[in-house]
């Protein structure tokens, strides 16, 4: 019998073109995504060097990072010079013959939301993009990770990348999540317990009964924040939920090819007895709704907890809290639901369920930004937009601008924001903005209360 292998090893080994020595391999790349912040630079640099895109059918480009989310948007954006990024990327994408999801395209959305929606990511494939949250797509049993612009050029020209093989880690969530606890809370608990550098140098596979119980959108949230754990990527073995999700998607195999593909995808599971370089186990039942309090996702605590007594000074100065101060009850100025972490339809459904028949507290600015235009349409078909607007939320177009600050729209200076985004770094949502990251349910509950609140109190 062959030696048992991990999911990561199976995908990596199938994509090795050549061993380069010193622990590095030349790896074949199946899918490449670009966005308007760096897409024009990569495509134009490639063209200037006289190198065409080797296979344009495998390259996709999305307008998501710089576009405004205000209804009626166009190429004009609040980011100084942002319109040039959009127009230049559009011209370069069309010239290269790659697929473009443009600003006003009904299929536009955040790259890590759009790719799964259309079945561009598939189990067993390698997928890269100049965005650290590309690991989101590992939820489909793919090897997906973020790269730089020069690496994007190399991959587009050659279909390959030179990579050092990472170590492997398995994070097993045993047991069951309590009601009101989400995949976002699972990741914040992991990072709080094991540090923002806990996964450094590793490809992390998420496993266990609590992971298997998640739907595909929940699994995407889990893998999305693998980069906040410093992992090269996050992955989950594909199963019947994965296959059902992909059935009928635009770029996924169909007809007789689907059965053959599923048969192959079923082999993409870690073999019994396969060894990992590191293992972590967490009892899912011990996790409660989590909220960040500092400048890193590792600065997080349960909603019933408090800022650590020994918390470092800089994060406390940023967030404006003191050692030992309870997390719950902290007044907020704004609430944000969206991002590639928590801007999918199921996220909006769960938040809307808490908001229905209730209203945002006086003085709280609240926004919801669907992760894609397809998510926006689906939410409107269910009447979720009315629930949000009647509760006092602004209903926006899809994009990254309120999560990734690039000089465009932000909240008023000095605002304390509870947000379903993935990062609470200084300046992440704008200069002088203090961000607490949490689940969409916690954001909704806090918006209603006007202070950081436990969603389970409302759900009860």
């Amino acid at each position: 019998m062959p030696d048992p292998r991990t999911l990561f090893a199976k995908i990596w080994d199938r994509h090795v073109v050549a061993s380069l020595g010193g622990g590095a391999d030349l790896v074949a790349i199946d899918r490449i995504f670009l966005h308007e912040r760096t897409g024009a630079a990569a495509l134009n640099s490639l063209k200037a060097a006289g190198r065409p895109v080797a296979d344009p059918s495998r390259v996709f480009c999305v307008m998501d990072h710089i576009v405004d989310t205000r209804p009626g948007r166009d190429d004009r954006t609040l980011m100084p010079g942002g319109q040039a990024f959009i127009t230049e990327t559009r011209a370069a994408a069309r010239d290269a013959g790659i697929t473009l999801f443009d600003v006003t395209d009904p299929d536009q959305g955040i790259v890590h939301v759009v790719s799964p929606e259309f079945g561009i990511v598939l189990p067993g494939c390698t997928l890269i993009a100049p965005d650290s949250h590309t690991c989101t797509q590992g939820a489909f049993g793919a090897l997906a990770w973020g790269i730089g612009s020069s690496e994007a050029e190399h991959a587009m020209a050659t279909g390959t990348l030179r990579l050092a093989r990472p170590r492997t880690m398995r994070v097993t969530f045993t047991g069951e999540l309590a009601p009101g606890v989400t995949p976002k809370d699972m990741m914040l608990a992991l990072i709080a317990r094991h540090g923002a550098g806990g996964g450094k140098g590793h490809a992390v596979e998420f496993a266990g009964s609590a992971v298997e119980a998640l739907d595909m959108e929940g699994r995407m949230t889990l893998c999305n924040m693998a980069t906040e754990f410093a992992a090269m990527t996050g992955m989950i073995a594909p199963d019947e939920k994965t296959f059902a999700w992909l059935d009928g998607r635009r770029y996924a195999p169909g007809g007789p090819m689907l059965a053959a593909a599923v048969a192959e995808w079923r082999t993409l599971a870690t073999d019994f007895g396969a060894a990992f370089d590191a293992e972590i186990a967490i009892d899912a039942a011990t996790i409660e709704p989590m909220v960040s309090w500092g400048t890193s996702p590792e600065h997080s605590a349960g909603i019933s907890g408090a800022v650590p007594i020994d918390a470092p000074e800089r994060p406390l100065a940023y967030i404006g809290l003191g050692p030992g101060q309870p997390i719950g009850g902290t007044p907020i100025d704004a609430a944000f639901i969206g991002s590639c972490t928590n801007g999918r339809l199921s996220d909006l459904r769960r938040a809307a369920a808490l908001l229905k028949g209730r209203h945002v507290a006086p003085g709280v600015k609240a926004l919801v930004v669907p992760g894609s235009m397809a998510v926006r349409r689906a939410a409107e078909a269910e009447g979720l937009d009315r629930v949000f607007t009647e509760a006092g939320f602004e209903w926006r177009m899809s994009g990254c601008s309120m999560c990734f600050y690039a000089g465009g729209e932000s909240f008023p200076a000095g605002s304390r924001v509870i947000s379903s985004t993935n990062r609470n770094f200084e300046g992440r949502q704008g200069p002088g903005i203090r961000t607490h990251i949490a689940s969409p349910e916690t954001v909704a509950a806090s918006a209603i209360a006007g202070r950081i609140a436990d969603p389970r109190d409302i759900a009860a």
Side-chain angles (χ1 to χ4, degrees):
M1 293 289 291
D3 291 335
R5 294 190 300 158
T6 64
L7 166 63
F8 168 81
K10 291 179 180 181
I11 299 175
W12 182 279
D13 292 345
R14 293 179 188 186
H15 285 80
V16 171
V17 176
S19 176
L20 303 178
D25 291 323
L26 191 66
V27 176
I29 305 300
D30 297 318
R31 302 282 189 274
I32 304 166
F33 259 94
L34 305 174
H35 56 73
E36 82 279 24
R37 187 164 181 261
T38 59
L43 288 167
N44 290 335
S45 178
L46 199 63
K47 184 178 180 179
R51 299 186 179 95
V53 175
D55 186 352
S57 70
R58 296 187 179 197
V59 185
F60 303 81
C61 185
V62 172
M63 304 290 193
D64 65 354
H65 272 62
I66 292 170
V67 297
D68 287 340
T69 62
R70 296 169 300 170
R73 67 176 177 201
D74 53 23
D75 290 356
R76 291 166 294 183
T77 172
L78 291 174
M79 174 186 167
Q83 185 169 348
F85 282 87
I86 293 170
T87 56
E88 289 174 13
T89 297
R90 177 184 297 125
R94 289 175 175 171
D95 184 59
I98 66 175
T99 300
L100 173 66
F101 300 102
D102 212 338
V103 175
T104 58
D105 193 315
D107 295 334
Q108 182 272 344
I110 301 172
V111 55
H112 322 301
V113 180
V114 167
S115 177
E117 280 179 346
F118 297 117
I120 295 171
V121 62
L122 297 171
C125 83
T126 52
L127 187 149
I128 57 174
D131 186 297
S132 59
H133 293 104
T134 304
C135 52
T136 305
Q137 301 178 60
F140 290 82
L143 179 55
W145 70 99
I147 56 165
S149 291
S150 60
E151 291 173 302
E153 290 179 46
H154 188 282
M156 286 191 288
T158 69
T160 64
L161 276 181
R162 182 187 189 277
L163 294 167
R165 186 176 184 127
R167 298 185 296 277
T168 57
M169 175 186 290
R170 180 164 54 192
V171 175
T172 304
F173 287 94
T174 61
E176 296 182 5
L177 292 174
V181 181
T182 73
K184 180 70 157 287
D185 303 313
M186 294 168 71
M187 277 307 295
L188 288 176
L190 169 66
I191 297 168
R193 296 180 192 187
H194 295 277
K200 186 176 181 180
H202 292 80
V204 175
E205 179 177 346
F206 297 106
S209 55
V211 174
E212 294 167 6
L214 298 177
D215 61 19
M216 291 308 300
E217 297 192 349
R219 295 178 187 186
M220 283 186 259
T221 295
L222 202 65
C223 290
N224 175 273
M225 293 189 68
T227 188
E228 266 64 68
F229 193 46
M232 177 258 192
T233 192
M235 312 173 72
I236 297 172
D239 60 11
E240 297 304 321
K241 293 179 182 178
T242 316
F243 311 147
W245 170 282
L246 292 170
D247 189 7
R249 304 278 172 175
R250 184 182 303 174
Y251 291 93
M257 291 182 62
L258 178 60
V262 170
E264 173 66 18
W265 296 341
R266 291 187 194 282
T267 69
L268 297 173
T270 293
D271 297 328
F272 178 78
F276 289 82
D277 296 301
E279 296 255 17
I280 291 174
I282 294 177
D283 181 358
T286 65
I287 303 171
E288 65 173 325
M290 302 286 292
V291 181
S292 73
W293 53 262
T295 55
S296 163
E298 74 178 2
H299 301 148
S300 296
I303 191 97
S304 65
V307 177
I309 294 295
D310 59 351
E313 291 184 10
R314 180 164 179 172
L316 295 183
Y318 157 76
I319 205 66
L321 299 177
Q325 186 170 340
I327 299 293
T330 303
I332 62 167
D333 302 299
F336 177 87
I337 296 173
S339 82
C340 61
T341 312
N342 284 128
R344 296 177 179 82
L345 185 58
S346 61
D347 298 312
L348 304 190
R349 284 171 175 160
R350 295 195 307 272
L354 297 184
L355 291 166
K356 191 169 185 178
R358 299 182 173 93
H359 200 276
V360 169
V364 173
K365 180 179 177 65
L367 298 93
V368 57
V369 179
S372 73
M373 294 306 291
V375 169
R376 189 176 195 268
R377 288 191 300 275
E380 290 174 345
E382 296 182 13
L384 302 185
D385 59 319
R386 294 191 300 276
V387 174
F388 282 111
T389 56
E390 289 170 5
F393 274 76
E394 293 182 33
W395 180 247
R396 295 295 192 95
M397 312 287 274
S398 69
C400 302
S401 69
M402 297 297 289
C403 168
F404 167 79
Y405 179 74
E409 187 176 11
S410 181
F411 296 97
S415 295
R416 182 184 299 278
V417 184
I418 183 133
S419 173
S420 73
T421 52
N422 40 49
R423 288 180 174 162
N424 54 329
F425 303 163
E426 293 181 59
R428 175 69 179 184
Q429 290 191 287
I433 304 303
R434 296 172 293 182
T435 298
H436 297 270
I437 52 177
S439 72
E441 290 94 324
T442 300
V443 173
S446 302
I448 295 165
R451 53 182 172 75
I452 296 177
D454 191 331
R456 296 172 297 183
D457 293 341
I458 293 179

